[in-house]
Amino acid sequence: MRIGLIGTGRIGTFHAEVLSRHPAVDTLLLADADPERAAVTAARTGATAVAVDELFTGGGEAGGPLDALVICSATAAHAPLIARAARAGLPAFCEKPIALDLPGTLGALAEVEAAGSILQLGFMRRFDAGYTEAKTAVREGRLGRLHTIRATTSDPAPPPADYLPLSGGLYRDCLVHDFDILRWVTGREVSEVYATGSDAGPAMFREAGDVDTAAVLLTLDDGTLATATATRCNGAGYDVRMELAGELDQIAVGLDDRTPLTSVEPEGPGAPPKPWPGFLERFAPAYEAELDAFLRVARGELANPCDGREALHALRIAEACEISRRERRPVTMTEIPGE
């Protein structure tokens, strides 16, 4: 397969390394708004650096049409690139989000649907072994009736200050993963949210109009209650977990010997010797699995495991959280356009 990839930052470089060693990929072409950065990653992975336009025209160094496109560019470029891939008839994989707002998301989805093309979104937790087992346990009824779900995403350190105004905020950039996986594991929809947040940490969050810590209470359509919390300032390490409690049993995702959690009980476990440092290390197998799935989708061997509409559902929940935080009230999902 001839695969193009746009965006060679941290996640783009990781994806390029995965694709470069995938047995189905014969040719890997890399493009970036910064050509020098693309050239460095190409040299590291044995790929070829090209201009963005060449990926769509097949000219120059590209040397022919692509079989599929992977989009890892800056968020502002996602929707235009998705639309361009759709018009070119290219199956596309895109890191979340499609766009930072609902109009941009709906516009890109309209382009995909009009073209009848393929768009897979990068919600990698759907490919994580723990979340997959949790979904199976819930769907098989092993927990009985679910009554409580607790999800958390905690980054060990804040991102660069110049990233915050471009991120869309903590709900859209970070908690959106929890919103997506909550729907995927349970098979239920969120009916109402109540969200709050704190900007008491580094000043750069206040300057960006964002929060460094957030908490959300979500009511699912069957009455199950879920909480989702996130912070950018978890010095103990990268911590992503989900706890699901039912009338028969309760289980946890993300609880292992690298979970950055220390018990203060006399017989409890101490601090992990090697806590998870970040998302690439914690979810490396899941990232590889989602790209393998995309290549199979592009070849017509697999149904799309996470299409654009799935990303829309998660973004709508994040939008409801922003309104709830701003207006200090519960927000029902019927208030959010795009259902």
Side-chain angles (χ1 to χ4, degrees):
M1 298 180 73
R2 294 175 58 81
I3 306 299
L5 182 147
I6 301 176
T8 52
R10 181 167 55 164
I11 190 62
T13 296
F14 182 90
H15 285 334
E17 291 171 347
V18 170
L19 290 167
S20 71
R21 59 179 182 263
H22 194 286
V25 178
D26 302 307
T27 302
L28 179 61
L29 306 170
L30 307 182
D32 195 288
D34 179 351
E36 183 176 343
R37 187 164 69 171
V40 169
T41 303
R44 181 191 307 176
T45 59
T48 300
V50 300
V52 171
D53 287 347
E54 291 179 40
L55 293 177
F56 295 95
T57 63
E61 294 293 327
L66 297 178
D67 293 305
L69 181 68
V70 175
I71 301 170
C72 309
S73 61
T75 297
H78 285 186
L81 288 171
I82 288 170
R84 193 171 180 184
R87 291 193 293 269
L90 274 177
F93 172 94
C94 184
E95 279 298 330
K96 64 83 188 166
I98 293 174
L100 291 178
D101 58 21
L102 285 172
T105 299
L106 292 169
L109 290 178
E111 292 268 12
V112 171
E113 290 168 5
S117 60
I118 293 169
L119 173 63
Q120 180 180 325
L121 262 292
F123 283 107
M124 77 291 184
R125 294 187 194 181
R126 293 179 177 223
F127 299 87
D128 176 73
Y131 285 109
T132 300
E133 177 60 23
K135 177 183 179 182
T136 301
V138 170
R139 304 301 180 88
E140 291 181 350
R142 283 188 249 155
L143 307 185
R145 181 187 68 86
L146 279 180
H147 51 74
T148 307
I149 303 171
R150 294 175 286 272
T152 188
T153 295
S154 300
D155 288 333
D162 58 2
Y163 172 76
L164 293 178
L166 309 174
S167 71
L170 193 59
Y171 300 103
R172 298 186 189 95
D173 182 53
C174 187
L175 277 166
V176 71
H177 280 289
D178 296 277
F179 302 151
D180 175 72
I181 207 65
L182 177 65
R183 296 180 59 250
W184 188 76
V185 167
T186 65
R188 312 302 310 190
E189 298 295 344
V190 173
S191 60
E192 183 181 89
V193 307
Y194 187 84
T196 188
S198 170
D199 62 3
M204 64 182 182
F205 289 96
R206 293 184 292 278
E207 293 164 0
D210 195 6
V211 294
D212 60 77
T213 304
V216 186
L217 173 62
L218 308 102
T219 302
L220 306 191
D221 58 10
D222 64 348
T224 301
L225 297 180
T227 60
T229 62
T231 184
R232 302 285 199 185
C233 306
N234 197 56
Y238 182 72
D239 188 10
V240 171
R241 282 177 286 127
M242 174 182 271
E243 300 170 7
L244 300 105
E247 292 180 338
L248 299 180
D249 201 358
Q250 63 178 345
I251 57 176
V253 178
L255 184 60
D256 58 24
D257 60 3
R258 299 191 68 180
T259 303
L261 188 65
T262 302
S263 173
V264 294
E265 297 295 334
E267 302 300 324
K274 192 179 179 182
W276 293 110
F279 64 92
L280 286 178
E281 295 82 2
R282 165 67 176 84
F283 288 108
Y287 279 118
E288 295 197 27
E290 73 173 354
L291 283 180
D292 178 72
F294 171 62
L295 297 180
R296 294 170 62 198
V297 169
R299 295 197 301 266
E301 300 171 359
L302 183 72
N304 193 338
C306 188
D307 65 22
R309 287 287 163 184
E310 296 295 289
L312 173 63
H313 286 305
L315 178 61
R316 291 181 64 248
I317 297 169
E319 291 289 321
C321 290
E322 287 288 2
I323 294 172
S324 178
R325 178 177 74 90
R326 185 170 61 248
E327 300 183 2
R328 296 180 177 272
R329 66 175 179 89
V331 175
T332 63
M333 292 308 300
T334 55
E335 298 178 53
I336 309 301
E339 186 173 8

